[in-house]
Amino acid sequence: MEKNNRHMPELSSELRQSIITMPKVIRECSGISIYGKRIKSIIYTMDVAVIANNDADAVLAVYPWTPNTRILSAISQVAQVPILAGIGGGLTSGNRSSRLGTFAEEHGAYGVVLNGPSDLNTIEIVNEAVDIPIIYTVVNDKRDLSKLISAGVDIFNVAGGSKTVELVKWIRAQYPEFPIIASGGKTDEQIRETIEAGANAITYTTYGKTETYFQEKMELYRDQEMKDE
């Protein structure tokens, strides 16, 4: 009898069957191995309820306000997978970003994320302070990638909106094997296009998922009550 080594049994439970699942197409990318853990799907959310109830390989914890250690502490308490923690790079920079990076590392983060405006000095200071990967967010093709890498960047995180696929191709043409994370879009076709362009891992945004799921739950509860009557 021939064994089927490709079949992966999937187990769940009554109370945990409603988690937010990542698009299966993401499994087609190569992934990035960080400390022996292969990361392909990365959920982009700051909703702690979503962070606690998903099947992603990692969490991208970045937000538009000044990074706050209490926020990271809250996320680290509910996340069941590695956290890639935002530590600024714009208004929050230099030694402050470095201190936030150290805090993130001490709380188990697998990487720190610096945003587009980050200068080389900030990257270098963070690189001296932390032992976990530095992830730099690429938003356009205006930065010299070689200087970013020399300063300490270990992974590029491409967030170029409609230009994301083009930016991934632009990076991949210069660095055939450098780790690239990229936002994949909303559809399987968009995600696959991003993977084919050269992305090793995909971020998936979950805006409104909690509200949508809760609305569905409430409709189900209302239907059940009507049947009980």
Side-chain angles (χ1 to χ4, degrees):
M1 182 175 173
E2 197 173 312
K3 292 183 178 180
N4 182 4
N5 293 323
R6 296 183 63 82
H7 171 68
M8 180 180 71
E10 296 185 22
L11 304 180
S12 184
S13 65
E14 185 176 352
L15 297 180
R16 301 190 186 188
Q17 60 183 325
S18 301
I19 63 174
I20 293 175
T21 58
M22 301 298 99
K24 291 188 181 298
V25 66
I26 294 179
R27 309 315 298 175
E28 296 179 11
C29 66
S30 68
I32 299 172
S33 179
I34 303 180
Y35 302 126
K37 181 172 180 60
R38 193 173 192 176
I39 295 173
K40 292 187 177 185
S41 60
I42 303 169
I43 192 167
Y44 172 36
T45 180
M46 290 302 295
D47 185 328
V48 291
V50 172
I51 290 172
N53 293 279
N54 69 83
D55 68 350
D57 299 326
V59 174
L60 179 64
V62 298
Y63 45 96
W65 298 282
T66 300
N68 187 306
T69 55
R70 290 177 297 173
I71 293 175
L72 181 57
S73 293
I75 293 172
S76 66
Q77 289 183 46
V78 298
Q80 302 180 57
V81 294
I83 299 169
L84 308 178
I87 59 171
L91 291 176
T92 304
S93 59
N95 289 326
R96 185 176 180 86
S97 288
S98 175
R99 290 194 296 272
L100 290 166
T102 301
F103 182 88
E105 182 176 5
E106 290 174 349
H107 280 70
Y110 269 49
V112 291
V113 185
L114 288 167
N115 57 33
S118 302
D119 57 35
L120 295 177
N121 182 59
T122 293
I123 297 172
E124 289 170 347
I125 291 174
V126 172
N127 189 43
E128 291 179 1
V130 303
D131 187 51
I132 54 180
I134 295 175
I135 303 165
Y136 172 79
T137 302
V138 178
V139 295
N140 56 44
D141 61 358
K142 307 303 180 185
R143 299 295 298 266
D144 186 329
L145 301 180
S146 64
K147 290 183 179 179
L148 294 169
I149 294 172
S150 295
V153 170
D154 301 291
I155 300 171
F156 287 128
N157 171 43
V158 182
S162 62
K163 301 292 185 182
T164 293
V165 170
E166 294 178 24
L167 286 174
V168 171
K169 290 180 178 178
W170 175 66
I171 296 171
R172 188 56 74 216
Q174 299 174 70
Y175 298 97
E177 297 183 353
F178 199 82
I180 298 176
I181 296 169
S183 52
K186 298 179 179 179
T187 68
D188 285 0
E189 291 73 21
Q190 292 171 330
I191 293 171
R192 183 170 286 113
E193 186 179 9
T194 306
I195 293 171
E196 292 175 349
N200 302 107
I202 297 293
T203 58
Y204 183 70
T205 304
T206 59
Y207 294 137
K209 289 288 185 179
T210 299
E211 293 77 9
T212 299
Y213 180 64
F214 192 63
Q215 185 177 19
E216 292 171 355
K217 276 279 189 179
M218 292 305 295
E219 290 295 332
L220 178 62
Y221 294 155
R222 293 187 191 105
D223 289 343
Q224 288 177 340
E225 286 185 4
M226 290 179 66
K227 290 177 182 178
D228 292 340
E229 291 178 359

